[in-house]
Amino acid sequence: MISVKDLGFKYQNSKTAALDGVNIEIADGDFVGITGTSGAGKTTFTFALNGIIPQKIKGDFYGSVIIDGKDTVEHHAEEFAQKVGEVFQDIDSQMVASVVEDEILFGLENFGVPHEEIEDRLQKALKELGIEDLRDREISSLSGGQKQKVAIASMLALEPEVIVLDEPTGELDPESSREIFRILTRLNREKGITVVIVEQKIMLLCEYVKHMMVLEKGHVAFYGTPKDMVTSIAKFKELGINVPRVTELSSRLIEEKVYDGEITLTVDDAEKMVRRILG
Ligand code: ADP
């Protein structure tokens, strides 16, 4: 479990705080989506989740981040790096090798995984992401979606308990974006891996995550399940975040007593709603 208490952070060369008074508990097995406008503090927050902030990136740090009882200020970042794996926004700069296989091997060797386990872990990670055929490929020749899968596989090979991803779908087309979410959902459900993902596409969050956090100017402006969003539609609009049209529609139909079912978050659910209303 990750417990974030009154977290605040100001970068060394900055006048304003990137995060201020953030409180959130991320339970084991949760799937948390983080959204918010640019500069809201999303990336900074992800860096705080495994000790990169304040250990590697310096600044004024307030409050605490406790990972399974260990305070990120009191323990080396290396102690958390394997447990809480991160895929950064700029994956190209995260990749260290030129060939897929070497990229995954690098992490395994770096973390001192016993030699006899390495091949097995490598194969499993490639299989989990469905990229066995990319094993010998040059990373520079891969598509954006394939690179994301390699980055996730590299992390998965280290058998993390939590995966943190910063806008992995930012440069992907809609179908590849959904594929990443489907893979993460499977890892979350079948392996119990906790997922924390920064994502701008609210429809994807609505469909896949268990909890959503909206950051605004370093504060938590909303935290709840996607369905809870309906209580804050006005607030989302104020923040410039578009609540899915199907959610707004169902909310209005419930208000006007045309429909007595649940809020809809996806187009499929909305279709079912309309069919029910029409009898
Ligand atoms: P987001 O991911 O939501 O776009 P960030 O966490 O990247 O937001 O940034 C939050 C705030 O911190 C912004 O005001 C940004 O300009 C500032 N910031 C981010 N990185 C640095 C840095 N390395 N040095 C100084 N300020 C930074």
Side-chain angles (χ1 to χ4, degrees):
M1 197 234 268
I2 302 180
S3 175
V4 177
K5 289 209 177 84
D6 297 324
L7 173 65
F9 186 74
K10 188 163 80 61
Y11 287 93
Q12 227 161 27
N13 55 352
S14 180
K15 286 209 176 80
T16 50
L19 293 173
D20 186 17
V22 175
N23 285 287
I24 179 180
E25 303 241 310
I26 303 174
D28 293 340
D30 206 343
F31 192 146
V32 182
I34 303 171
T35 195
T37 48
S38 179
K42 303 180 295 298
T43 296
T44 307
F45 181 73
T46 63
F47 287 160
L49 288 182
N50 74 351
I52 296 176
I53 276 177
Q55 296 204 25
K56 305 230 160 124
I57 301 175
K58 300 289 176 193
D60 299 335
F61 182 92
Y62 305 94
S64 62
V65 176
I66 314 279
I67 302 171
D68 289 341
K70 287 184 174 175
D71 193 316
T72 57
V73 173
E74 290 163 9
H75 294 259
H76 276 296
E78 283 71 24
E79 282 187 53
F80 304 111
Q82 190 169 354
K83 195 186 273 259
V84 184
E86 300 223 3
V87 175
F88 300 127
Q89 194 165 31
D90 180 6
I91 48 167
D92 284 327
S93 68
Q94 184 168 7
M95 303 269 190
V96 289
S98 54
V99 174
V100 171
E101 176 186 77
D102 296 340
E103 179 64 32
I104 300 174
L105 285 176
F106 177 82
L108 288 167
E109 282 160 5
N110 214 19
F111 279 97
V113 172
H115 198 69
E116 58 279 11
E117 275 183 41
I118 284 187
E119 177 57 28
D120 186 45
R121 291 234 211 158
L122 173 67
Q123 282 185 23
K124 272 196 195 143
L126 290 168
K127 186 157 183 269
E128 205 70 67
L129 274 293
I131 52 169
E132 296 101 315
D133 56 326
L134 300 183
R135 182 170 173 154
D136 299 318
R137 284 276 297 272
E138 289 279 334
I139 292 173
S140 59
S141 74
L142 302 178
S143 69
Q146 288 171 327
K147 277 188 198 166
Q148 282 295 343
K149 288 182 193 170
V150 172
I152 297 172
S154 303
M155 201 169 52
L156 205 59
L158 303 173
E159 302 181 344
E161 289 167 27
V162 183
I163 324 187
V164 181
L165 307 101
D166 191 356
E167 287 198 53
T169 75
E171 297 186 7
L172 305 187
D173 59 73
E175 189 39 43
S176 309
S177 302
R178 299 187 82 79
E179 202 186 348
I180 296 292
F181 269 85
R182 280 196 295 265
I183 290 168
L184 294 172
T185 301
R186 184 164 42 76
L187 296 175
N188 176 254
R189 287 203 189 131
E190 291 174 9
K191 294 187 169 280
I193 294 176
T194 307
V195 180
V196 179
I197 184 165
V198 176
E199 174 59 60
Q200 296 285 9
K201 297 180 211 79
I202 198 112
M203 282 300 283
L204 283 174
L205 293 180
C206 285
E207 197 171 336
Y208 292 98
V209 307
K210 293 178 183 166
H211 290 103
M212 247 167 79
M213 171 163 116
V214 180
L215 280 175
E216 175 64 11
K217 296 193 179 124
H219 298 279
V220 179
F222 170 85
Y223 177 81
T225 66
K227 281 195 174 151
D228 293 337
M229 229 172 35
V230 72
T231 58
S232 307
I233 289 179
K235 195 196 242 174
F236 274 74
K237 282 196 174 154
E238 246 171 64
L239 297 173
I241 299 169
N242 292 320
V243 171
R245 302 260 292 271
V246 290
T247 306
E248 263 197 275
L249 175 69
S250 61
S251 158
R252 282 192 49 197
L253 292 174
I254 291 168
E255 245 173 61
E256 310 218 345
K257 305 208 178 347
V258 176
Y259 177 62
D260 62 358
E262 287 207 19
I263 288 295
T264 59
L265 296 170
T266 64
V267 175
D268 283 355
D269 285 350
E271 188 188 330
K272 281 183 204 139
M273 172 182 75
V274 172
R275 284 184 193 283
R276 226 181 91 182
I277 292 170
L278 297 177

